[in-house]
Amino acid sequence: MNATVKPGFNPSRRRFLAGAGGLTFCVAIGSDGIHLLSEAQANTASRTMSAWVRIAPDGMVTILSAGAEMGQGSMTSLPLILAEEMDADWSKVAIEWAPADAAVYGYAMNNGRAMAIVGSRAVMLYFNQLRLAGAQVRKVLIANAAEKWGVAPASLRTEPGFVVDPASGQRMSYGEIAGFGAVPAELPAVDKSELKDRRQFRLIGKSVPRRDIPAKVNGTAQYAIDVRLPGMVYATARHSPVHGGAPESWNEDKAKSMRGVIGTVRLPDGVAVIADSLPHAMAARGALEVTWKEGRAEGFDSEKALAETYVQVHADPSAKRRTLDSKGDAQAAFASAAKTYKSEYRSDYGYHAQMEPLNAVARFSAAGDHVEIWEGTQAPDVSRGRIAKALGFKPGQVTLHQCYMGGGFGRRTLGDYASEAALIAREARRPVKLVWTREEDMAHGMFRPQSFQCLEAALDPDGKVTGWTHCVVGDGGVLLATGIKIPYYQVPHQHIEARGVPHGVRLKHWRAVGHVFNVFAIESFVDEMAAAQGMDPVDFRFQRMSISPRARAVFEKAVQMSDWKARRPEGRAVGISISERSGSLGAGVAEISLDRATGRIRVHKAWVAIDGGLVVQPEAARANIESGIVYGLSSVLHERVTLKGGVVEQSNFHDYHVERMADVPEEMHVAFVERDAAPSGLGEIGNPWVAAAVANAFYRLTGKRLRHMPFTPARVLEALQA
Amino acid sequence: MQVSVNGRSHEVNVEPDTPLLWVLRDVLGLTGTKYGCGISACGACTVHVNGEPVRSCSMPVAQVEGKRVTTIEGLSRDSSHPLQKAWVAEQVPQCGYCQSGQIMQAAALLAKNPKPSRGEIVRHMNGNICRCGTYNRIIASIQRASREG
């Protein structure tokens, strides 16, 4: 059987540069971002440079994309930014994945470079670098045409795919230029002032179809799970059911006696079974009996921790705490307050539930000193490093082939399962495809942490909020703390802190992570104060919370979109809230109804107004935000991971419920508030506002507060009886 | 064992209890059909057997002997099925992983009920999970395909 790795992926440098003729622009390593350089320079550089843009004599422009594609559209929007500034004809632009080399293709971050596409960063962090690179390419094209025509470069213009001389009316295509032109050894510098004015944009802000979509409607889009190699065998794994455990011994003889089983492999925290087919490997996994060394999460009871331990930690004046934000004198504000409020909220663990169970394919060279990995990863650079480390290799001994991801949501940045595939393939001495079962993906999941929160506020005699304290208790360090600050409310005296309680449960970023529960608490609490003060919640924020102008603008837009003060049909009510994420702001309104017999909440309509700065691809961004709303609703109404005895209690989609078609709002309206600012992240601004908006709508409908997410029917019924 | 997939007959050498999903993906190389849950709870593996939508992860291959299996690869030769065109027009897929199953599920609906109401669409499609939450675009696409044929 032939290898069925589909073409178009992972161009080797050789293939990319080997085309006859044409102009090639390579990537230079700069301290402050991507810079282009000529191929001549690249070839004399001390290390191998890779191509970034290539213009072929037939006019095709190939641009590499460093944006991992998990559905958010980055693989289209990043090359589009470069194409905009070089004035490429978008119909003649081909996109290929950039290799997993952060030193070359990474964005600048924290004095280093990274390729990790997390926190909705892709467009935000690559934007300026890609614009400058595109402008440089354009400048070289103009210089070549100017020389050919014997005119001054400054007299020339470009149109998509052409250099134009307005004086003579002559036009020369980029392909023609690629046929004779040269890239100077020293590329011309480009100043920011030479970039297009946004009114000149032909692609940015104009919405083009996403390039990955055609392959996703006919089954040809290649995910790592689809890679098939000659001689490949299959593996699946069972990990310690108690997180942090390791295998001691297992019934290898039994496993080996099963149909098609080739052998078992010890992993750092689990056992893999190798077989001639996945169903055979999965059957043997089911028959594995493993004795485990005690794991870090041994005995952990998540519901008990949430109900008891966290409350004790919060009440303990000597508990270890981490101050996350502090300004003014919160204590004094409370001491002199005319009125104070206090509320508590809770949230459960959440699972990513990306549709593609974690998997990777590994193949070693005959000499065993080089490995190729096929993986869908949010962070190809990290993955490559981790795989190398697991094998005792140098990163140069690992070639990582990026694939489409069947969902990421923050789970796929570690290279953990790819490292396992590599370890298994080394033992198997054959190419191996490792696929975790859904049950394994959940049992050995890495979760959004659960949380207990206590908020207090102090109001002065005018009813203004002058003091604010927020304490979040749980496990997870930074994961617990995202979204807890309230820069959009200028409360003069604040103290915000986290108290850590380690459990040994595996935790991870999760589409806006801490925002999900912190914003739930913050925006529910504000709504409670507004209600207690007898005020409209929007008026309360505007008059009593010293709201920032940006936040006011998104609230005003949300109010207008949803006709906030309009009467709703009988049995329906609306709630409102706001969230910040990755530089963006979003205010949203949810309209709900309730089945009081079953406790089932239904969200009928959602409106959200987003300030995301310049929106590079409005249609794709809108789709991404709709996705966030549904993801948010899912976490608010259904999703719940619990652990007993250190073991995850849910195992598949029959007991870990996610939003289905019948649950989604019939209407979702997304609007962008225009602002002349650089792009900010949009992939995660869609979901954090949802929880409080639904809880606040529930209050308006019933006079009761929901304080523990998800709002399962059982919890809703309990709240109604309270 | 003989299986007929997308109009072609194949001799496959597997145990009769092998789930159809793995025969399609790993024996026949038709990887457009996806593994999502293995327990018929997500719909990512949906194919047609004699025109009916089935979850191939839970169907032993022996049960399709003598029947016609159609996968996403066989829905059309060139992405020209009205649903595939509508899916592109409405820019439905995000991560895309569930979409083969969604399209196959929807195709079975339109084959029987060319003008489904929104309620009928939701009832028919509710077993297919899309974690990116593209449901409303899926509904719009089915309505578009129904309209435009």
Side-chain angles (χ1 to χ4, degrees):
Chain A
M1 191 187 298
N2 291 325
T4 51
V5 175
K6 291 163 191 164
F9 282 78
N10 301 292
S12 67
R13 178 169 179 275
R14 197 167 51 248
R15 200 183 111 217
F16 200 74
L17 297 178
L23 303 177
T24 301
F25 298 82
C26 298
V27 186
I29 303 163
S31 58
D32 56 343
I34 291 163
H35 293 276
L36 295 181
L37 76 173
S38 68
E39 194 175 353
Q41 267 181 316
N43 287 335
T44 58
S46 57
R47 55 170 293 165
T48 305
M49 298 291 176
S50 303
W52 187 261
V53 183
R54 184 167 174 277
I55 307 170
D58 65 1
M60 280 307 292
V61 177
T62 305
I63 305 175
L64 296 201
S65 180
E69 184 56 67
M70 61 198 114
Q72 83 286 29
S74 300
M75 80 167 303
T76 304
S77 49
L78 294 185
L80 179 133
I81 296 165
L82 195 148
E84 173 70 80
E85 287 294 343
M86 70 172 276
D87 239 349
D89 175 350
W90 184 248
S91 69
K92 292 186 175 161
V93 171
I95 298 169
E96 297 187 354
W97 298 118
D101 190 347
V104 177
Y105 295 101
Y107 50 80
M109 182 129 200
N110 300 336
N111 300 321
R113 291 173 153 278
M115 293 176 80
I117 301 302
V118 293
S120 353
R121 280 179 194 164
V123 166
M124 179 168 72
L125 293 181
Y126 276 109
F127 187 67
N128 287 330
Q129 302 174 22
L130 291 175
R131 287 186 75 190
L132 289 168
Q136 251 181 329
V137 173
R138 179 171 170 271
K139 218 167 181 176
V140 170
L141 289 163
I142 287 177
N144 276 293
E147 198 182 325
K148 191 81 167 178
W149 286 330
V151 299
S155 68
L156 301 179
R157 304 281 175 269
T158 55
E159 288 174 9
F162 286 88
V163 177
V164 179
D165 181 354
S168 67
Q170 292 187 95
R171 295 160 62 81
M172 195 181 291
S173 76
Y174 287 1
E176 279 176 80
I177 298 169
F180 71 83
V183 179
E186 190 77 30
L187 285 184
V190 170
D191 185 77
K192 274 191 179 166
S193 64
E194 295 175 75
L195 297 176
K196 285 185 181 177
D197 182 273
R198 61 171 62 189
R199 281 165 302 190
Q200 298 173 288
F201 287 155
R202 303 177 204 271
L203 297 170
I204 291 175
K206 304 288 191 261
S207 290
V208 302
R210 281 174 44 170
R211 288 295 180 90
D212 54 331
I213 283 183
K216 290 177 175 177
V217 304
N218 62 18
T220 59
Q222 184 169 292
Y223 303 82
I225 204 169
D226 301 329
V227 171
R228 302 165 72 232
L229 301 173
M232 185 176 83
V233 292
Y234 299 85
T236 191
R238 181 183 284 282
H239 298 85
S240 172
V242 175
H243 292 184
E248 228 163 45
S249 61
W250 60 92
N251 56 342
E252 185 174 16
D253 290 346
K254 162 76 180 164
K256 275 184 148 173
S257 73
M258 293 180 69
R259 285 192 308 210
V261 173
I262 295 165
T264 63
V265 176
R266 178 187 293 271
L267 299 171
D269 54 359
V271 178
V273 188
I274 310 170
D276 61 354
S277 76
L278 263 175
H280 286 159
M282 287 174 178
R285 172 190 174 275
L288 274 181
E289 287 167 15
V290 185
T291 309
W292 302 99
K293 287 180 203 151
E294 192 166 289
R296 285 190 307 275
E298 195 69 46
F300 176 60
D301 182 328
S302 60
E303 290 179 272
K304 191 158 181 274
L306 202 47
E308 298 171 19
T309 317
Y310 294 180
V311 180
Q312 290 157 9
V313 169
H314 179 252
D316 178 1
S318 63
K320 257 178 71 176
R321 64 198 67 191
R322 201 156 44 94
T323 298
L324 302 169
D325 204 3
S326 191
K327 57 184 66 152
D329 185 343
Q331 244 178 344
F334 278 89
S336 63
K339 178 82 193 157
T340 61
Y341 294 100
K342 178 179 178 180
S343 283
E344 294 172 354
Y345 305 90
R346 288 178 171 82
S347 65
D348 293 343
Y349 286 106
Y351 162 61
H352 299 90
Q354 80 291 336
M355 288 308 294
E356 181 189 13
L358 298 175
N359 69 88
V361 176
R363 173 168 68 186
F364 278 82
S365 64
D369 58 356
H370 190 273
V371 69
E372 284 177 280
I373 300 284
W374 284 261
E375 184 196 359
T377 167
Q378 292 177 246
D381 52 334
V382 175
S383 202
R384 190 176 172 212
R386 292 288 184 90
I387 294 158
K389 193 171 171 213
L391 296 171
F393 277 13
K394 295 192 165 51
Q397 293 171 276
V398 179
T399 299
L400 192 126
H401 301 290
Q402 175 69 294
C403 299
Y404 285 126
M405 269 174 280
F409 310 117
R411 173 62 186 88
R412 306 170 82 160
T413 65
L414 300 175
D416 51 335
Y417 46 95
S419 298
E420 289 186 351
L423 291 169
I424 298 164
R426 182 153 71 182
E427 294 230 0
R429 298 178 172 278
R430 275 186 264 189
V432 166
K433 178 191 288 185
L434 168 70
V435 179
W436 288 12
T437 61
R438 175 62 62 186
E439 289 79 6
E440 197 61 36
D441 202 289
M442 205 170 289
H444 201 54
M446 303 186 79
F447 306 121
R448 185 194 72 217
Q450 65 176 12
S451 75
F452 167 84
Q453 322 203 34
C454 182
L455 291 89
E456 296 182 62
L459 276 59
D460 70 11
D462 296 331
K464 289 219 171 199
V465 181
T466 53
W468 177 274
T469 66
H470 186 167
C471 174
V472 58
V473 183
D475 194 1
V478 70
L479 301 178
L480 202 60
T482 80
I484 201 168
K485 294 181 189 176
I486 47 167
Y488 38 90
Y489 297 134
Q490 288 143 16
V491 179
H493 306 286
Q494 298 183 25
H495 180 78
I496 299 172
E497 66 173 33
R499 300 189 184 188
V501 186
H503 302 307
V505 175
R506 290 152 50 89
L507 304 172
K508 191 70 185 74
H509 289 90
W510 189 102
R511 204 168 192 170
V513 245
H515 284 67
V516 175
F517 46 82
N518 286 322
V519 172
F520 161 51
I522 293 163
E523 288 296 291
S524 295
F525 186 49
V526 172
D527 197 80
E528 287 199 61
M529 289 194 285
Q533 294 275 309
M535 289 181 71
D536 174 86
V538 178
D539 294 341
F540 181 82
R541 286 168 171 91
F542 285 8
Q543 293 166 24
R544 306 288 185 80
M545 300 284 294
S546 304
I547 196 166
S548 74
R550 272 186 77 199
R552 179 184 282 268
V554 290
F555 267 120
E556 283 171 346
K557 183 73 185 172
V559 161
Q560 179 238 320
M561 288 168 76
S562 64
D563 198 2
W564 167 249
K565 293 202 174 173
R567 267 185 80 85
R568 304 292 154 177
E570 183 62 29
R572 297 218 188 161
V574 285
I576 193 164
S577 73
I578 189 174
S579 171
E580 163 284 336
R581 176 60 168 165
S582 300
S584 293
L585 270 178
V589 173
E591 181 178 313
I592 73 161
S593 69
L594 169 67
D595 182 333
R596 287 173 194 261
T598 61
R600 191 163 167 272
I601 294 171
R602 173 137 182 72
V603 179
H604 297 274
K605 298 180 184 180
W607 299 264
V608 62
I610 307 282
D611 174 349
L614 175 63
V615 180
V616 171
Q617 285 293 282
E619 274 310 312
R622 187 168 284 124
N624 205 339
I625 290 161
E626 290 169 6
S627 166
I629 295 171
V630 176
Y631 206 83
L633 280 173
S634 192
S635 67
V636 169
L637 298 178
H638 313 289
E639 295 182 38
R640 179 161 194 257
V641 170
T642 53
L643 294 98
K644 275 265 180 329
V647 177
V648 175
E649 293 189 290
Q650 294 71 26
S651 67
N652 207 320
F653 289 120
H654 67 289
D655 56 6
Y656 188 82
H657 296 286
V658 299
E659 191 90 342
R660 289 176 182 266
M661 190 179 274
D663 306 320
V664 294
E666 301 95 74
E667 290 181 26
M668 292 192 282
H669 302 278
V670 178
F672 296 105
V673 175
E674 296 224 0
R675 200 167 61 89
D676 189 9
S680 46
L682 291 174
E684 299 175 325
I685 191 65
N687 61 316
W689 66 273
V690 174
V694 171
N696 296 342
F698 184 85
Y699 171 77
R700 291 181 147 222
L701 198 60
T702 65
K704 306 285 186 181
R705 289 285 168 188
L706 294 167
R707 299 182 183 280
H708 192 158
M709 67 169 278
F711 312 146
T712 58
R715 286 182 184 151
V716 167
L717 292 174
E718 198 179 314
L720 285 174
Q721 282 154 17
Chain B
M1 194 182 314
Q2 290 282 323
V3 290
S4 167
V5 181
N6 299 334
R8 280 183 59 193
S9 186
H10 302 266
E11 176 70 33
V12 294
N13 181 24
V14 295
E15 291 96 0
D17 62 349
T18 306
L20 174 62
L21 171 66
W22 304 114
V23 177
L24 294 172
R25 287 180 53 82
D26 295 336
V27 180
L28 302 179
L30 298 168
T31 53
T33 304
K34 302 302 192 211
Y35 166 60
C37 69
I39 60 164
S40 299
C42 80
C45 67
T46 304
V47 299
H48 295 176
V49 176
N50 284 351
E52 291 294 326
V54 303
R55 308 302 192 220
S56 64
C57 72
S58 305
M59 173 154 288
V61 66
Q63 285 187 23
V64 305
E65 242 191 322
K67 296 177 182 168
R68 289 172 293 109
V69 178
T70 308
T71 69
I72 186 73
E73 291 89 349
L75 188 64
S76 71
R77 292 161 82 80
D78 48 4
S79 299
S80 61
H81 188 281
L83 283 167
Q84 290 170 308
K85 291 195 285 186
W87 242 249
V88 173
E90 298 287 340
Q91 295 279 289
V92 175
Q94 292 192 25
C95 91
Y97 194 78
C98 73
Q99 300 294 351
S100 297
Q102 303 276 4
I103 291 170
M104 295 309 286
Q105 183 73 19
L109 172 66
L110 289 189
K112 278 195 175 157
N113 179 0
K115 300 285 174 200
S117 66
R118 184 187 165 103
E120 287 170 332
I121 292 171
V122 170
R123 270 194 299 283
H124 181 83
M125 300 297 297
N126 207 45
N128 288 65
I129 295 173
C130 172
R131 186 58 168 154
C132 301
T134 65
Y135 299 115
N136 282 353
R137 285 172 191 256
I138 289 174
I139 295 169
S141 291
I142 295 172
Q143 290 169 333
R144 177 191 281 265
S146 163
R147 214 167 46 237
E148 297 177 354

